[in-house]
Amino acid sequence: MAERRSGAAEGLAQGLARLSEWADAHLGLLRSLSTGMAVAGVLVLARSVRMTTKFTSALDIPVKFVEKNVKLRGKLHHITEKGLEVEHIPISIPFLASIQRKWQSKGLLLVRLAGVELAPSGMAWLQQELKPKQVIWFQLLGREDLALECLVLVNKGRFLSVCLNEEILRQGLGRTACIEGLHHDSRLYWKLHKRLLRAELKALKKNKGIWKEESYSERIRDRISNSKLVQTLKQFASWLRSS
């Protein structure tokens, strides 16, 4: 019995010695892993801080966000000739939303419909379709001065969203234009440009909006009203009224 106990004790001592050697050998690895996890935690925290920051100016948005075409959420305030004035809605942290709002600054982002040249009828359509304080999504494509060139998305149901850039062209309320902020030789530029051209082609085929052709009677009426004889008669009639 004594010999067995002494053998077990020696085996346990040898096991502890090997465990100690293994721990010493892998201590550097464990330290490097813990350091890496700490760095990763800091990076995640920094990223979350950026995502929870409310942007009040186009210049506040990090360059990486624009380069990666990040999609942001906002609340519509005004529709102007320069673009949509939108209040950015950052990602809120549970249980800290009220504290976040207290520290958030005020300001509106100027969002433009990338790749679209709006017609006057397009401006009227936007003012009719979009409601004040409506929540929209805007995907960053470029930044020009203080304006953001974006694809603007509006929810039309639980699982359906409409791209305003395409819808305006599909309704014949504007023309395609260069997508500012994207390189013309990039794959994304031509992918989006083809989408916009297809939407414009649909309006052209259906003679919708600015592509609507005048009927024969409308063309005859315009020619008669613009003829020299009619213009002379109008001037003579106005001279008779004044005299």
Side-chain angles (χ1 to χ4, degrees):
M1 290 291 293
E3 292 179 357
R4 290 180 181 177
R5 289 179 180 175
S6 61
E10 290 179 0
L12 179 61
Q14 291 177 359
L16 291 174
R18 290 174 182 174
L19 180 62
S20 177
E21 292 176 359
W22 182 90
D24 292 338
H26 293 80
L27 185 60
L29 177 61
L30 293 173
R31 286 177 179 173
S32 62
L33 286 175
S34 61
T35 304
M37 292 176 66
V39 172
V42 171
L43 291 176
V44 171
L45 179 60
R47 185 176 181 181
S48 64
V49 167
R50 285 190 172 186
M51 292 301 292
T52 56
T53 300
K54 182 178 180 179
F55 302 126
T56 57
S57 171
L59 299 177
D60 295 338
I61 299 177
V63 177
K64 287 292 183 182
F65 278 35
V66 180
E67 292 177 348
K68 294 183 178 181
N69 309 122
V70 172
K71 189 184 296 182
L72 301 176
R73 189 170 60 134
K75 187 187 299 182
L76 178 68
H77 278 252
H78 306 289
I79 300 173
T80 68
E81 294 181 355
K82 295 182 178 179
L84 309 179
E85 293 183 352
V86 179
E87 178 185 359
H88 174 226
I89 303 176
I91 296 176
S92 58
I93 302 176
F95 311 110
L96 296 178
S98 58
I99 300 176
Q100 280 183 268
R101 285 193 289 269
K102 289 181 180 179
W103 290 98
Q104 288 172 354
S105 56
K106 296 181 179 180
L108 300 177
L109 300 173
L110 182 60
V111 175
R112 292 199 294 228
L113 299 173
V116 176
E117 182 184 343
L118 268 179
S121 54
M123 178 72 66
W125 183 84
L126 284 175
Q127 293 172 344
Q128 183 179 358
E129 288 291 319
L130 300 180
K131 301 175 182 178
K133 308 297 182 180
Q134 182 174 351
V135 175
I136 63 174
W137 290 87
F138 51 102
Q139 185 176 4
L140 304 173
L141 298 180
R143 178 169 52 192
E144 293 292 328
D145 297 328
L146 297 178
L148 298 169
E149 300 288 338
C150 305
L151 288 180
V152 180
L153 306 172
V154 177
N155 290 330
K156 290 293 184 180
R158 185 173 296 180
F159 303 106
L160 179 65
S161 62
V162 175
C163 176
L164 289 182
N165 308 56
E166 291 181 271
E167 187 63 23
I168 285 174
L169 295 173
R170 199 178 292 119
Q171 297 294 333
L173 304 175
R175 293 180 173 85
T176 55
C178 294
I179 303 175
E180 302 295 339
L182 288 179
H183 295 293
H184 291 186
D185 57 348
S186 67
R187 188 174 181 181
L188 179 60
Y189 179 91
W190 288 108
K191 179 182 178 180
L192 295 177
H193 196 56
K194 287 179 182 178
R195 280 175 53 185
L196 298 178
L197 285 175
R198 281 196 295 265
E200 184 181 55
L201 186 59
K202 289 182 179 180
L204 183 61
K205 288 181 177 179
K206 295 180 179 179
N207 294 326
K208 298 180 69 174
I210 60 176
W211 308 110
K212 182 179 179 182
E213 293 184 358
E214 291 182 332
S215 63
Y216 179 76
S217 59
E218 289 174 337
R219 290 198 296 269
I220 294 297
R221 188 177 62 244
D222 290 340
R223 288 180 183 178
I224 293 174
S225 61
N226 294 326
S227 65
K228 291 183 179 180
L229 177 60
V230 173
Q231 294 297 328
T232 303
L233 291 175
K234 286 181 179 180
Q235 292 175 1
F236 181 70
S238 62
W239 176 79
L240 288 176
R241 290 194 203 99
S242 61
S243 60

